[in-house]
Amino acid sequence: MAYNAVREAKQSFLFEQFFPERLIINQSAVVDGNLSLNFGDTDGSLENRKKFLKKQGIDYTVLVCAKQVHGCVAAYACEKDKGSGALSYESAIPSTDALITNIKDIPLAILTADCLPVFLYDPLKNAIGLVHAGWRSTKEKIVANTLEMMRKHFSSDPRDIFAGFGFCIRTCCYEVGKEFIGIFDKGLSLREGKMYLDLIEVNKSQLTAFGVQGKNIFDSNICTFCKSSEYFSYRKESHSCSRMMSVMMLSGVEEE
Ligand SMILES: [Zn+2]
């Protein structure tokens, strides 16, 4: 990988606390266009992916994507998975909402518009996880499942794990039905007779319950619905909505 590309990727780094010398981590925005191959207008999606990933120093043809189903399954991505879902939706890893790896130069991607992307990094085992946490997957405790899988595959200790929350719809805007009282015992608030869900609060509590330290949890603090001119919001644009890409890769470049 060209060193300049890595430099540039560092400048768009989401969470400065996340060891930028070892990781490429970013989330796209409206300006990068639709990056989904199965939602929204997909005509320019491959070209958009190529452009966005090139800026990160990533070859778009080796991207690893999942067929996201709002479930709780995490998959371990290895060399043979490189390129899964990169050029066609059909080739993506089936029925998966989180990806983990400890192999360098395997870029993991998830696609969202309002759902919460959670970035996980174990700096001691040098392993990463990327989670698609909408309300259904959050209910199924997908972050805990992903951490459990990182423990199994990489012997990750949750106390070492860094976690970051990407752009998603926040409690300011995420109105839900009263039936959510029976689904979540945390993260709900009532304002002027309307119920709101806080995906961040629920996922944060699942992370800390698993042993992740509060000081290792970071937040982009961006609400996709509040800032829908800059970030795609499914709630605002409905079924025609494009998707943003969260991407994470262990960089093969030697540490400085
Ligand atoms: Zn908002």
Side-chain angles (χ1 to χ4, degrees):
M1 190 192 316
Y3 187 75
N4 282 344
V6 177
R7 266 271 181 246
E8 196 176 331
K10 280 183 187 182
Q11 281 159 15
S12 53
F13 186 67
L14 263 185
F15 309 99
E16 284 173 19
Q17 297 89 339
F18 257 64
F19 301 86
E21 70 278 8
R22 298 191 208 162
L23 279 178
I24 289 169
I25 170 173
N26 212 342
Q27 186 171 357
S28 72
V30 166
V31 67
D32 300 299
N34 186 20
L35 298 182
S36 170
L37 300 180
N38 65 317
F39 287 113
D41 178 358
T42 58
D43 281 355
S45 294
L46 277 180
E47 197 50 41
N48 292 341
R49 282 185 172 195
K50 188 176 179 179
K51 222 182 278 173
F52 171 67
L53 291 167
K54 192 176 176 191
K55 274 195 277 180
Q56 321 306 318
I58 292 173
D59 170 7
Y60 81 112
T61 65
V62 299
L63 195 68
V64 180
C65 300
K67 286 184 179 171
Q68 301 168 187
V69 290
H70 298 284
C72 63
V73 173
Y76 172 52
C78 53
E79 289 291 341
K80 72 166 173 51
D81 299 307
K82 271 183 163 181
S84 298
L87 304 177
S88 74
Y89 175 71
E90 289 66 35
S91 65
I93 296 177
S95 303
T96 298
D97 286 277
L99 296 164
I100 63 169
T101 194
N102 60 345
I103 303 171
K104 286 178 178 179
D105 295 326
I106 297 187
L108 309 179
I110 61 152
L111 293 147
T112 58
D114 286 345
C115 285
L116 169 66
V118 186
F119 301 87
L120 302 170
Y121 180 51
D122 178 346
L124 296 191
K125 301 295 189 307
N126 210 32
I128 55 175
L130 183 54
V131 181
H132 166 231
W135 74 263
R136 289 185 189 84
S137 302
T138 297
K139 172 180 166 263
E140 305 287 333
K141 297 192 164 66
I142 190 166
V143 288
N145 288 351
T146 309
L147 289 170
E148 184 57 47
M149 199 154 167
M150 289 176 76
R151 180 150 70 186
K152 206 172 88 188
H153 279 263
F154 316 130
S155 303
S156 288
D157 181 336
R159 285 170 301 181
D160 301 328
I161 299 263
F162 283 70
F165 299 126
F167 320 141
C168 72
I169 191 167
R170 307 264 163 168
T171 185
C172 43
C173 300
Y174 195 12
E175 191 186 342
V176 295
K178 298 277 192 312
E179 70 278 10
F180 274 61
I181 295 171
I183 300 174
F184 292 100
D185 56 6
K186 263 196 185 72
L188 292 171
S189 56
L190 201 60
R191 296 197 305 271
E192 292 164 4
K194 290 176 178 172
M195 185 76 75
Y196 294 87
L197 175 63
D198 189 341
L199 283 173
I200 302 292
E201 188 190 333
V202 181
N203 278 281
K204 201 180 264 181
S205 76
Q206 290 177 10
L207 286 166
T208 51
F210 200 89
V212 177
Q213 304 186 70
K215 69 178 175 67
N216 290 346
I217 301 175
F218 305 98
D219 192 351
S220 66
N221 288 308
I222 290 193
C223 174
T224 46
F225 195 93
C226 282
K227 295 197 161 187
S228 62
S229 60
E230 293 166 65
Y231 306 97
F232 291 121
S233 171
Y234 176 83
R235 280 277 175 121
K236 214 152 226 177
E237 295 157 62
S238 189
H239 295 280
S240 64
C241 183
S242 301
R243 298 292 187 273
M244 300 180 287
M245 180 182 289
S246 295
V247 66
M248 201 173 190
M249 184 175 89
L250 291 166
S251 157
V253 173
E254 292 304 311
E255 288 178 36
E256 289 164 61

